[in-house]
Each structure stands twice: as C-alpha cells, then as structure tokens.
C-alpha cells in the first residue's frame, strides 16, 4: 500500500483532481498497466495500521441472527458486518466462471461490464473507468453505469 500526502498547495488533493477533471476522466480503458492508487493520508491511516487497527479477521463461515461464526467455531454477537475488500480484487470464487478472470486473476471487463458474462458487472476496481473508480468519489458513477448496463441486459433477455 502506498501513501501520499493529502494536501497540496494548501488544498485537499481531491479538490485538484476534481477541479481539473482528472478524477472522472474515463482514462482506464487507455491504460495497459494502470498505476496503483495511493492512499491519501494525513498520517492517521498509517498510525492506525501501525497500531493494528482496524482489527482484521478471516471471512466468517456463518451468520445466524445477530451471531457471527468463524471456521474455528468462535462465535460473536454483531450488530452489523462490513465486508471490506481492500484495494486489490481477490476473486478466486469467480475462477470457475469461464472467462470472468484473466490468467492473473483480474476481472476481464470493459468499463466494469464482464467481457464473458453479460449479466456480471464489477464496481470499485482500480482504474475501472477513471482515477476515482476505486474510491467513494467515483464508485457511485461506475455503479450507476453498471446498473444501467445490467438493466439493459435484463430487458433484452426478457424479449
């Protein structure tokens, strides 16, 4: 994970990325090997990670009411569960879907739409469409686009 300063010339870096249009420019399809996105940080994130926060756990094996269970039998009460997938996709569960992933395990897509499966879409990928595709600033744009494509696919399938 790379960190970069969050402020440049007295302004939040997101201000500059949004103001110049770079944040939403659909450049993802032009990049053969997109660069990794840094984490914009004002030192809080690095400090939290150094302190072992947030607590990371393996994926649970069961949810029953308000109880979460793990493979070792440990159970714990929980009000909510948030699946934080991180900055890199890890999609081995799609390996059995012919053509969904490339040989390196990355989604095969164009603008988030699967190249092999018309009813499959991805959101939140680095450089999916733009610099901000994997951030809260950009994932909404990509999710709207993916939802429209899936709705169109479903409409065609019903005809």
């Amino acid at each position: 994970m790379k960190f970069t300063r969050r402020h440049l010339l007295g302004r939040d870096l997101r201000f500059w990325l949004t103001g110049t249009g770079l944040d939403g420019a659909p450049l993802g399809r032009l990049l053969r090997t997109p660069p990794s996105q840094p984490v914009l940080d004002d030192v809080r994130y690095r400090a939290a990670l150094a302190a072992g926060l947030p607590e990371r756990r393996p994926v649970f094996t069961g949810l029953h009411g308000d109880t979460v269970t793990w493979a070792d039998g440990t159970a714990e009460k929980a009000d909510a569960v948030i699946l934080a997938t991180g900055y890199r996709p890890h999609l081995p569960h799609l390996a059995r879907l012919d053509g969904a992933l490339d040989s390196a395990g990355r989604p095969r897509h164009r603008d988030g739409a699967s190249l092999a499966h018309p009813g499959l879409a991805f959101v939140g990928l680095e450089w999916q469409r733009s610099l901000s595709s994997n951030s809260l600033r950009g994932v909404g744009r990509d999710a709207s686009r993916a939802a429209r494509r899936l709705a169109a696919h479903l409409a065609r399938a019903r005809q």
Side-chain angles (χ1 to χ4, degrees):
M1 187 176 330
K2 292 188 230 173
F3 293 93
T4 190
R5 291 178 50 200
R6 187 171 167 173
H7 290 87
L8 177 67
L9 301 174
R11 300 295 296 256
D12 191 300
L13 188 57
R14 290 175 285 214
F15 167 84
W16 299 109
L17 294 172
T18 303
T20 62
L22 183 60
D23 209 32
L27 301 173
R29 69 174 65 172
L30 303 175
L31 302 171
R32 282 233 183 264
T33 309
S36 291
Q37 303 255 3
V39 175
L40 302 181
D41 188 19
D42 59 6
V43 304
R44 289 182 296 167
Y45 299 128
R46 276 179 277 201
L49 289 172
L53 301 171
E55 179 185 352
R56 294 184 298 176
R57 299 186 93 169
V59 175
F60 50 86
T61 56
L63 284 173
H64 307 284
D66 64 351
T67 303
V68 180
T69 308
W70 282 268
D72 66 0
T74 304
E76 188 174 322
K77 300 265 186 226
D79 295 323
V81 174
I82 299 172
L83 296 175
T85 59
Y87 285 89
R88 284 174 226 87
H90 181 68
L91 305 167
H93 52 280
L94 296 181
R96 288 186 229 152
L97 268 177
D98 287 340
L101 305 176
D102 66 15
S103 61
R106 293 180 303 252
R108 292 184 58 245
H109 71 94
R110 181 169 185 93
D111 292 342
S114 172
L115 294 175
H117 302 278
L120 176 64
F122 302 93
V123 294
L125 302 173
E126 274 190 313
W127 289 100
Q128 179 171 317
R129 290 195 70 245
S130 69
L131 170 68
S132 62
S133 284
N134 71 329
S135 73
L136 293 175
R137 298 182 321 277
V139 74
R141 278 190 303 264
D142 292 351
S144 292
R145 186 179 184 93
R148 284 192 308 273
R149 284 182 176 214
L150 290 173
H153 165 70
L154 291 172
R156 284 190 304 274
R158 287 187 190 125
Q159 293 177 349

